[in-house]
């Protein structure tokens, strides 16, 4: 524009003057525009964010003053409590700050999670108690062991634990305010608590899950909080933060101790044996608040009634606090206290009072509910309320609680003396791996046992010296011992929130028997150090071949390690014997692994075998010759090559994160196999990738939706030699697409097995519960000659069943190597009608597809990481499937 004006003005003085005027206007306009732009920039409207949190004092009682020298959570976090979901590293940082600033706190790292996050326990009490803390602890433990009554000045020991489910974060976020209250609070209320008592404070039971969920919730939070339940913030992705690193529910692991979080926690529990242990959870958004007592008839029968009575007394204080605030709550319904592996039940079997708290979950920062908008800060506030009411209620009932623990010891001793059984004998013939894992569990739970020093026979089962133990019932852990050997099948209340049995001897597939006092007198017993371990052999470098038995629990790990080291191996389809280097014969069962030196092995083969044998405690035999005294020779075609497997676990939306995690955990921690977890929508694409050659695909329970072309891709892969393995509800998809020739018993058939003609509407929930199989042990007949059962000694196997799915397959022994027995229920509840339907139904089935094979497991072979007895079924499906015809 200015260039045109300048050109026109050259012909006229007037035009030139006009140009100057216009130019001045133009430049002025430009300057004004810039000024206006800057002014507009400076006055940009900023919308007020809906942050949602509160400063710590807003959550705490105003009857307490606070030491200004103790930092508040918001001063360390840079945000109010409830404004963001706190990460575990932030929790750790704040706890460390308080431990440095407060003379009431001792901070201890009790362990590390799978993801290497520290597990913290804070011991909080008055400075004078803190100086004598170990003396106070020992006095308390001595009283617990003796059952002696203590004076009224003895301290109560609280164990305040939060958020074992990571996506139930109100507990851990509340812990920030509560630890500040304990560290900074001043006045009579605090003095009454800390001068005379001890608070053990565990701010996060599940650091890995908590951090996963915090990331999810925070990454979807906007400046304006969205309460729509369909908003992505409230629709957590797979896997959820509920679980730990391996996607296990840690609130089912207090007894099983499959994970470091539980192991560290139980160690501290037994170190302190608290009077009260709290377990803070969340539930559905449309709920209100639940606190125990629950339904009295649904408690564990080994829990004293006095425990429930004291829980009721404490509940009065929770109710009073919520009544004052006008908060909705409920008790005595929905949740049970039966399974000994839950946080509110395990303490009950030890004389503690375990208390479950369940808060309606905002599953984010704000969510709509039938009770109005539920804010994260309000869920935190409620957890703080019941934590404080726990303190108040316990102090008000202190005398009764102290008396209860001494009475618990006396009543336990009385029950043990009256018991018809004096103890249990448990043994294993040829698998020290399984047996040692069982014993390690006993040790962590402080269960006493002795070792048999002479052979003993019970019911025609031989328990060998040094390979069997005796667990007496007359011991402080009587209630837990009775619990872990229970075969109860009939219960006062047949509605179970979780499993109805957890018999550990059945889980580990160990021989065991209850003994009466007369039987027990015949035992010759010795100390724990008389327990025999696997005999490791010298590895002869000039041997013809080497071998190890498949019966050992860690044989699959041994095989995987050797394959990764480049060792060439064979597995035997049939039993045989071989001559060892020392001239003695060794009998080896089907599935045994042979390592012939003539296959071009690594130069350091002998040192590899020596190292792996020492590491895994699996005996390796050096063989003189390929000529065998009995059975096929080592060069037989029945000795098949075993290739290094490449395993794919189908995961992602629609699949069970628990079962996928259990498979991953087994391979990763018990076998050493690096399995790939692939989202189901990527499975067909993964099979098309020439850079990876998968050998096995595992389908956990789930809802599968493959297109026709994807199904065709999977089927072509199997026909070319692949192995597909499915369990539980995955078999429905297998049946639908004819991957397995099986039929699933319909829900209509199950319904027809129950007579409802005499029932009324109110009986509906009870009838529904009878149709479930919520967690019971069923016995199966197995074919030990089948490759899926190599390494097993007996013709029967206890299997854990968690659903009422019933499979009907061919009776052919080549198709169905395992069926439930005609009277299959071994332990736990299952209605007679369901047991009858399950009897002689299919437990395991296989089917050839081209050069490949499809394998179906009706039940979960890796249940909760502790059902050792069925683990090898999955290992066989990986390493011995080449024998299935």
């Amino acid at each position: 524009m200015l260039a045109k004006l300048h050109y026109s003005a050259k012909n006229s003085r007037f035009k030139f003057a006009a140009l100057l005027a216009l130019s001045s206007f133009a430049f002025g306009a430009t300057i004004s525009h810039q000024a206006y732009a800057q002014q507009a920039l400076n006055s940009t409207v900023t919308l007020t964010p809906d942050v949602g949190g509160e400063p710590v004092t807003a959550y705490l009682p105003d009857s307490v003053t606070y030491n200004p020298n103790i930092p508040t959570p918001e001063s360390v976090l840079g945000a109010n409590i409830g404004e963001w979901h706190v990460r575990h590293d932030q929790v750790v940082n704040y706890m460390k700050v308080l431990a440095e600033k407060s003379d009431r706190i001792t901070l201890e790292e009790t362990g590390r999670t799978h993801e290497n996050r520290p597990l913290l326990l804070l011991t909080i009490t008055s400075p004078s108690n803190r100086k004598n803390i170990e003396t106070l602890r020992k006095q308390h433990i001595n009283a617990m062991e003796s059952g002696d009554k203590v004076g009224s000045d003895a301290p109560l020991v609280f164990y305040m634990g939060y958020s074992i489910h990571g996506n139930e974060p109100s507990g851990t976020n509340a812990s920030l305010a509560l630890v500040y209250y304990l560290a900074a609070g001043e006045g009579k209320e605090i003095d009454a608590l800390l001068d005379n008592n001890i608070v053990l404070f565990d701010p996060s039971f599940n650091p890995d899950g908590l951090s996963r969920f915090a990331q999810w919730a925070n990454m979807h939070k906007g400046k304006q909080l969205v309460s729509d339940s369909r908003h992505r913030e409230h629709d957590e992705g797979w896997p959820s933060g509920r679980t730990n690193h391996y996607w296990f529910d840690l609130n089912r692991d207090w007894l099983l101790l499959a994970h470091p979080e539980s192991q560290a926690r139980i160690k501290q529990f037994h170190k302190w044996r608290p009077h009260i242990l709290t377990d803070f959870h969340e539930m559905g958004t449309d709920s209100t608040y639940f606190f125990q007592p629950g339904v009295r008839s649904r408690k564990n029968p080994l829990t004293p009634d006095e425990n429930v009575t004291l829980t009721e007394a404490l509940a009065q204080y929770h109710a009073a606090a919520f009544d004052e605030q006008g908060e909705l709550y409920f008790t005595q319904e929905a949740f049970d206290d039966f399974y000994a592996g839950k946080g509110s039940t395990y303490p009950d079997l030890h004389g503690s009072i375990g208390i479950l708290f369940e808060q309606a979950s905002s599953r984010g920062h704000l969510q709509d509910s039938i009770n109005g908008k539920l804010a994260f800060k309000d869920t935190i506030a409620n957890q703080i309320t019941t934590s404080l009411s726990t303190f108040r209620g316990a102090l008000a009932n202190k005398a009764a609680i102290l008396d209860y623990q001494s009475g618990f010891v006396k009543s336990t001793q009385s029950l043990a003396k009256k018991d018809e059984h004096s103890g249990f004998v448990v043994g294993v013939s040829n698998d020290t791996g399984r047996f040692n894992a069982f014993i390690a569990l006993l040790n962590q739970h402080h269960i006493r046992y002795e070792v048999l020093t002479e052979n003993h026979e019970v019911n025609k089962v031989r328990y060998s010296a040094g390979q069997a133990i005796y667990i007496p019932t007359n011991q402080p852990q009587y209630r837990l011992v009775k619990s872990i050997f229970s075969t109860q099948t009939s219960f006062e209340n047949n509605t179970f929130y979780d499993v109805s049995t957890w018999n550990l001897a059945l889980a580990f597939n160990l021989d065991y028997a209850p003994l009466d006092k007369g039987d027990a007198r015949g035992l010759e017993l010795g100390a724990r150090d008389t327990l025999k371990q696997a005999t490791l052999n010298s590895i002869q470098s000039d041997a013809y071949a080497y071998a190890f038995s498949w019966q050992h629990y860690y044989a699959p790990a041994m095989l995987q390690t050797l394959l990764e080291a480049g060792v060439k191996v064979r597995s035997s389809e049939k039993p045989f014997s071989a001559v060892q280097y020392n001239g003695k014969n060794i009998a080896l069962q089907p599935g045994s692994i042979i390592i012939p030196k003539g296959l071009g092995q690594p130069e350091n083969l002998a040192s590899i075998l020596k190292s792996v044998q020492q590491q895994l405690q699996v005996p390796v035999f050096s063989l003189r010759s390929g000529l065998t005294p009995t059975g096929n020779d080592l060069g037989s075609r029945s000795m098949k090559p075993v290739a290094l497997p490449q395993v794919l676990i189908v995961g992602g939306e629609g699949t069970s994160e628990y079962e996928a995690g259990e498979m991953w955990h087994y391979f990763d921690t018990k076998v050493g196999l690096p399995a790939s977890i692939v989202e189901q929508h990527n499975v067909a694409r993964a099979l098309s990738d020439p850079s990876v050659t998968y050998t096995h695909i595992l389908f956990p329970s789930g809802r599968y939706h493959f297109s026709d072309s994807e199904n065709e891709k999977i089927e072509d892969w199997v026909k070319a030699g692949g192995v597909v393995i499915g369990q539980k509800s995955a078999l429905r998809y297998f049946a639908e697409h004819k991957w397995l020739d099986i039929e699933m018993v319909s829900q209509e058939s199950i319904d027809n097995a129950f007579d409802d003609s005499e029932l009324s509407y109110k009986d509906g929930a009870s009838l529904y519960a009878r149709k479930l199989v919520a967690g019971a042990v069923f016995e199966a007949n197995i074919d030990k000659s089948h490759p899926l059962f190599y390494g097993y000694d007996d013709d029967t196997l206890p299997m854990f069943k968690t659903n009422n799915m019933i499979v009907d397959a061919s009776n052919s022994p080549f198709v169905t190597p395992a069926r439930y027995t005609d009277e299959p229920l071994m332990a736990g509840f299952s209605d007679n009608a369901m047991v009858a339907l399950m009897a002689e139904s299919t437990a395991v089935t296989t089917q050839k597809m081209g050069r490949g094979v499809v394998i179906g497991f009706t039940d979960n072979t890796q249940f909760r990481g502790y059902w050792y007895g069925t683990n090898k079924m999955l290992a066989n499906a990986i390493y011995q499937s080449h024998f299935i015809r």
Side-chain angles (χ1 to χ4, degrees):
M1 175 183 175
L2 290 178
K4 288 183 178 180
L5 288 171
H6 174 68
Y7 177 77
S8 301
K10 286 194 295 184
N11 301 320
S12 162
R13 211 176 271 187
F14 171 79
K15 290 180 180 178
F16 182 69
L19 171 63
L20 290 176
L22 287 171
S23 298
S24 298
F25 175 79
F27 279 115
T30 302
I31 293 168
S32 297
H33 176 73
Q34 290 173 341
Y36 287 139
Q38 183 63 44
Q39 183 179 355
L41 183 64
N42 291 338
S43 62
T44 299
V45 173
T46 302
L47 297 178
T48 303
D50 185 359
V51 294
E54 298 279 2
V56 65
T57 52
Y59 291 100
L60 296 175
D62 56 13
S63 59
V64 174
T65 59
Y66 296 95
N67 182 346
N69 296 319
I70 302 298
T72 63
E74 55 266 29
S75 70
V76 176
L77 296 175
N80 287 333
I81 296 174
E83 183 175 345
W84 296 93
H85 282 250
V86 69
R87 302 188 313 269
H88 184 257
D89 61 291
Q90 294 173 308
V91 175
V92 171
N93 181 50
Y94 185 59
M95 298 300 159
K96 287 182 177 180
V97 168
L98 289 191
E100 291 173 1
K101 298 292 184 179
S102 173
D103 59 1
R104 301 172 180 174
I105 297 176
T106 301
L107 177 66
E108 180 182 1
E109 181 179 309
T110 61
R112 290 267 169 163
T113 70
H114 287 294
E115 294 177 15
N116 202 35
R117 290 186 172 90
L119 296 161
L120 300 184
L121 186 69
L122 289 75
T123 304
I124 308 175
T125 190
S126 66
S128 59
N129 286 341
R130 190 179 172 201
K131 293 176 183 177
N132 301 305
I133 196 70
E134 185 58 17
T135 299
L136 292 172
R137 185 190 71 81
K138 288 181 177 178
Q139 289 173 347
H140 168 60
I141 293 299
N142 289 340
M144 275 296 307
E145 292 177 347
S146 65
D148 292 340
K149 287 199 172 188
V150 296
S152 59
D153 58 340
L156 284 179
V157 180
F158 296 86
Y159 194 119
M160 307 297 289
Y162 298 88
S163 297
I164 202 163
H165 296 139
N167 62 0
E168 299 176 3
S170 58
T172 291
N173 283 264
S175 77
L176 298 170
L178 290 160
V179 74
Y180 173 77
Y181 169 84
L182 295 170
E186 295 177 329
K188 293 181 179 179
E189 185 176 316
I190 293 291
D191 293 343
L193 176 61
L194 298 184
D195 285 353
N196 303 302
N197 306 287
I198 300 166
V199 178
L200 305 175
F201 202 85
D202 193 331
S204 176
F205 280 151
N206 181 5
D208 294 347
L210 178 83
S211 297
R212 188 185 315 136
F213 182 71
Q215 175 67 14
W216 179 270
N218 290 336
M219 70 186 278
H220 293 102
K221 178 192 176 189
K223 298 296 185 184
Q224 308 307 316
L225 302 184
V226 180
S227 62
D228 181 0
S229 62
R230 288 166 291 278
H231 178 44
R232 198 163 187 262
E233 179 183 5
H234 307 123
D235 186 17
E236 191 182 357
W238 191 101
S240 72
R242 175 183 176 88
T243 53
N244 77 335
H245 173 76
Y246 284 105
W247 312 331
F248 279 64
D249 185 337
L250 289 179
N251 196 42
R252 303 319 191 251
D253 198 44
W254 289 71
L255 175 67
L256 315 178
L257 305 184
H259 300 280
E261 299 93 332
S262 308
Q263 294 163 12
R265 184 172 62 253
I266 291 302
K267 183 177 180 180
Q268 294 303 315
F269 177 87
H270 283 285
K271 176 181 176 180
W272 279 100
R273 293 294 290 274
H275 295 89
I276 293 173
L277 184 144
T278 60
D279 187 19
F280 287 87
H281 290 253
E282 293 180 13
M283 54 183 166
T285 304
D286 286 333
S287 297
T288 58
Y289 197 101
F290 170 84
F291 51 83
Q292 286 181 315
V295 181
R296 198 179 268 259
S297 64
R298 292 177 66 185
K299 75 174 180 64
N300 190 294
L302 291 162
T303 298
D305 287 336
E306 294 86 350
N307 176 288
V308 181
T309 301
L310 285 171
T311 304
E312 289 172 344
L314 296 176
Q316 298 298 318
Y317 289 81
H318 310 320
F322 280 145
D323 287 345
E324 183 178 348
Q325 297 172 8
E327 290 288 338
L328 294 173
Y329 59 89
F330 65 99
T331 67
Q332 296 180 313
E333 60 177 290
F335 301 96
D336 69 30
D337 227 359
F338 184 77
Y339 171 46
K342 290 196 303 185
S344 59
T345 311
Y346 184 87
D348 293 344
L349 299 181
H350 292 82
S352 301
I353 302 170
I355 308 177
L356 172 69
F357 298 97
E358 293 271 358
Q359 161 66 46
S361 180
S362 64
R363 283 293 190 272
H365 295 85
L366 184 70
Q367 187 171 173
D368 295 327
S369 80
I370 62 173
N371 301 308
K373 293 187 185 299
L374 180 61
F376 183 39
K377 65 182 178 65
D378 295 331
T379 70
I380 295 170
N382 287 342
Q383 305 286 36
I384 293 170
T385 293
T386 50
S387 294
L388 297 177
S389 60
T390 297
F391 293 143
R392 288 194 294 271
L395 295 185
N397 290 277
K398 183 173 182 177
I401 294 171
L402 291 174
D403 284 347
Y404 171 69
Q405 279 209 332
S406 62
F408 177 88
V409 175
K410 296 292 177 58
S411 66
T412 300
Q413 293 170 345
S414 176
L415 287 173
K417 289 178 181 177
K418 295 176 183 176
D419 199 304
E420 62 177 327
H421 297 135
S422 67
F424 298 87
V425 60
V426 186
V428 66
S429 57
N430 53 21
D431 185 357
T432 56
R434 248 183 312 131
F435 197 40
N436 286 342
F438 173 77
I439 289 173
L441 203 51
L442 300 183
N443 289 335
Q444 290 177 87
H445 289 299
H446 291 223
I447 293 175
R448 298 175 183 173
Y449 62 87
E450 295 177 275
V451 179
L452 270 65
T453 56
E454 289 190 4
N455 298 338
H456 192 81
E457 186 173 300
V458 183
N459 298 328
K460 298 183 179 179
V461 175
R462 176 187 171 95
Y463 295 89
S464 301
Q467 295 177 294
I469 60 172
Y470 173 67
I471 304 171
T473 53
N474 190 10
Q475 62 168 296
Q477 285 290 57
Y478 166 81
R479 296 177 197 262
L480 192 61
V481 169
K482 292 293 289 185
S483 172
I484 65 175
F485 285 104
S486 173
T487 55
Q488 184 177 356
T489 58
S490 178
F491 302 86
E492 178 184 355
N493 189 319
N494 290 328
T495 302
F496 296 95
Y497 185 73
D498 202 82
V499 299
S500 59
T501 188
W502 45 92
N503 185 301
L504 292 184
L506 295 178
F508 284 81
N509 193 26
L510 301 172
D511 291 326
Y512 81 103
L515 301 182
D516 60 26
K517 291 179 174 59
D519 293 330
R521 280 194 290 269
L523 297 176
E524 295 292 334
L525 302 171
R528 297 181 180 187
D529 58 8
T530 59
L531 194 67
K532 290 182 181 178
Q533 296 301 318
T535 301
L536 303 184
N537 303 314
S538 59
I539 306 299
Q540 303 297 327
S541 58
D542 58 347
Y544 174 83
Y546 306 94
F548 60 90
S549 171
W550 194 246
Q551 292 169 299
H552 198 285
Y553 182 81
Y554 289 105
M558 184 88 157
L559 175 57
Q560 177 68 25
T561 305
L562 294 176
L563 290 172
E564 290 180 357
V567 177
K568 297 178 179 63
V569 305
R570 301 283 189 268
S571 61
S572 175
E573 186 177 18
K574 299 177 180 179
F576 69 98
S577 64
V579 181
Q580 297 183 69
Y581 199 83
N582 60 10
K584 295 181 179 179
N585 287 359
I586 178 70
L588 293 165
Q589 300 303 312
S592 295
I593 302 301
I594 313 302
I595 306 149
K597 284 182 63 180
L599 292 178
Q601 304 287 4
E603 290 185 4
N604 61 337
L605 176 60
S607 63
I608 291 173
L609 291 170
K610 181 179 180 181
S611 174
V612 177
Q613 176 185 233
Q614 183 64 43
Q615 175 193 350
L616 297 173
Q617 297 290 293
V618 178
V620 176
F621 305 100
S622 300
L623 306 182
R624 274 186 179 274
S625 171
L627 190 66
T628 62
T630 59
N632 293 339
D633 296 327
L634 300 190
S636 167
R637 286 174 290 184
S638 66
M639 306 286 184
K640 297 287 188 181
V642 182
L644 186 66
Q646 184 74 43
V647 174
L648 184 158
I649 301 172
V650 183
E653 294 295 338
T655 64
S656 166
E657 64 184 75
Y658 296 127
E659 292 184 23
E662 288 161 351
M663 293 172 175
W664 175 27
H665 178 260
Y666 173 65
F667 289 136
D668 205 36
T669 67
K670 305 290 176 56
V671 180
L673 188 157
S676 302
I677 302 170
V678 178
E679 305 266 328
Q680 64 168 297
H681 64 267
N682 285 327
V683 169
R685 191 178 311 156
L687 297 180
S688 300
D689 185 352
S691 66
V692 182
T693 304
Y694 295 103
T695 58
H696 299 74
I697 302 178
L698 274 65
F699 287 77
S701 289
R703 301 181 306 278
Y704 293 98
H705 305 284
F706 294 108
S707 67
D708 290 343
S709 61
E710 289 172 330
N711 273 323
E712 184 177 351
K713 181 65 181 178
I714 296 172
E715 290 172 6
D716 288 344
W717 175 84
V718 178
K719 291 174 182 177
V723 179
V724 163
I725 305 158
Q727 72 179 26
K728 294 177 63 178
S729 65
L731 301 193
R732 297 187 186 278
Y733 191 85
F734 286 21
E736 179 184 348
H737 290 84
K738 308 301 182 184
W739 294 0
L740 283 175
D741 185 14
I742 58 177
E743 291 185 4
M744 319 300 290
V745 173
S746 68
Q747 184 61 48
E748 182 181 7
S749 297
I750 293 174
D751 291 340
N752 290 338
F754 291 82
D755 181 9
D756 60 5
S757 60
E758 301 296 323
L759 303 181
S760 59
Y761 181 79
K762 66 179 176 59
D763 299 316
S766 175
L767 177 62
Y768 174 77
R770 290 172 58 200
K771 296 176 183 179
L772 299 177
V773 180
V777 184
F778 281 69
E779 183 181 50
N781 287 318
I782 64 173
D783 181 354
K784 292 185 298 181
S785 71
H786 193 279
L788 290 179
F789 293 101
Y790 286 172
Y792 285 93
D793 295 324
D794 299 325
D795 295 324
T796 59
L797 179 64
M799 295 185 178
F800 202 81
K801 181 170 282 296
T802 57
N803 67 81
N804 64 359
M805 190 179 79
I806 304 170
V807 177
D808 186 19
S810 168
N811 288 324
S812 168
F814 308 109
V815 172
T816 306
R819 284 186 173 276
Y820 298 110
T821 61
D822 57 355
E823 295 181 358
L825 184 62
M826 300 182 75
F829 171 73
S830 187
D831 191 273
N832 290 337
M834 286 304 308
V835 175
L837 288 171
M838 295 284 181
E840 300 184 318
S841 66
T842 300
V844 178
T845 187
T846 66
Q847 185 169 311
K848 288 292 291 182
M849 184 188 294
R851 291 190 289 119
V853 66
V854 180
I855 299 170
F857 296 125
T858 303
D859 296 308
N860 182 354
T861 61
Q862 319 302 313
F863 182 68
R864 292 185 178 167
Y866 86 108
W867 206 265
Y868 277 59
T870 52
N871 286 168
K872 192 158 286 180
M873 292 164 60
L874 184 56
N876 286 339
I878 302 299
Y879 297 104
Q880 307 285 2
S881 54
H882 51 271
F883 285 126
I884 299 177
R885 294 189 291 273

